[in-house]
């Protein structure tokens, strides 16, 4: 509940793929319809296996892969793959932030001056849309922004109820 609807996500991906940003013969989009089980590391392994079986070669794991609150350590879902090889390349990362002074995205670490950064999250994006403060800023690509605005203008439901 509250997540973006699949239709909007697919629409945004299709707009990006059909833009001049990507070589149209090097991008394939396919739907893998599942839901989050919010069980942290176990779900990371399950989802990685499912994606491998679906044909994916890489699997991205963020700072808190489908964890709930502080129940799991933020690195548990990445660390479980240190001793596990399921035949898919795991790409771990911590929090990605935006530096407005540098106009650049970084992986957050202790060497970055935290006073000049902006956080990036789907929660911020959803809240800005729901509060009518959604702007074309650092959170989304211009094409995604226009797609979301068009959907809002057409009174389409953007979120799972």
């Amino acid at each position: 509940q509250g997540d973006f609807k699949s239709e909007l996500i697919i629409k945004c991906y299709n707009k990006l793929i059909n833009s001049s940003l990507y070589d149209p013969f090097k991008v394939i989009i396919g739907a893998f319809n599942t839901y989050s089980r919010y069980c942290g590391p176990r779900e990371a392994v399950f989802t990685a296996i499912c994606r491998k079986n679906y044909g994916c070669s890489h699997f991205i794991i963020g700072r808190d892969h489908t964890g709930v609150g502080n129940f799991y350590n933020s690195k548990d879902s990445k660390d479980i793959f240190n001793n596990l090889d399921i035949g898919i390349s795991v790409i771990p990362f911590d929090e990605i932030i935006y530096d407005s002074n540098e106009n650049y995205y970084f992986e957050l670490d202790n060497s970055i001056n935290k006073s000049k950064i902006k956080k990036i999250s789907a929660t911020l994006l959803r809240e800005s849309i729901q509060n009518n403060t959604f702007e074309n800023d650092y959170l989304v690509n211009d094409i995604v922004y226009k797609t979301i605005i068009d959907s809002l203008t057409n009174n389409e439901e953007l979120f799972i109820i």
Side-chain angles (χ1 to χ4, degrees):
Q1 186 177 353
D3 284 343
F4 285 104
K5 292 185 100 176
S6 300
E7 296 85 357
L8 177 65
I9 294 168
I10 297 297
K11 185 190 298 187
C12 289
Y13 275 120
N14 280 326
K15 296 273 186 174
L16 285 168
I17 289 168
N18 293 323
S19 73
S20 60
L21 291 175
Y22 300 100
D23 182 338
F25 299 106
K26 292 186 177 180
V27 178
I28 296 174
I29 187 169
F32 178 68
N33 194 14
T34 187
Y35 59 92
S36 293
R37 290 154 182 86
Y38 298 102
C39 57
R42 292 175 294 165
E43 181 165 358
V45 172
F46 170 76
T47 306
I49 291 169
C50 291
R51 300 268 168 92
K52 177 188 177 258
N53 291 341
Y54 195 69
C56 296
S57 59
H58 292 75
F59 181 60
I60 299 171
I61 298 182
R63 70 183 181 281
D64 185 19
H65 182 88
T66 58
V68 178
N70 294 322
F71 189 80
Y72 299 103
N73 182 300
S74 65
K75 296 187 185 293
D76 286 351
S77 290
K78 293 177 277 191
D79 290 346
I80 198 168
F81 289 96
N82 290 340
N83 299 313
L84 185 64
D85 181 7
I86 59 171
I88 191 168
S89 296
V90 175
I91 303 170
F93 70 89
D94 284 318
E95 186 172 4
I96 304 298
I97 49 94
Y98 176 72
D99 184 326
S100 55
N101 291 343
E102 299 287 330
N103 191 28
Y104 198 75
Y105 297 87
F106 295 94
E107 186 170 6
L108 183 62
D109 66 30
N110 291 330
S111 67
I112 293 175
N113 180 351
K114 293 176 180 68
S115 66
K116 61 181 182 173
I117 64 165
K118 294 182 178 185
K119 291 192 174 270
I120 298 171
S121 77
T123 301
L124 286 173
L125 180 59
R126 287 189 300 270
E127 287 174 355
S128 71
I129 292 169
Q130 291 166 337
N131 297 331
N132 294 320
T133 59
F134 182 51
E135 296 179 358
N136 194 8
D137 57 9
Y138 69 99
L139 282 175
V140 296
N141 173 285
D142 292 343
I143 294 166
V144 173
Y145 176 80
K146 183 177 181 338
T147 304
I148 292 172
I149 291 297
D150 289 347
S151 294
L152 285 169
T153 302
N154 293 329
N155 293 317
E156 295 173 24
E157 187 62 50
L158 304 185
F159 305 103
I160 298 170
I161 299 173

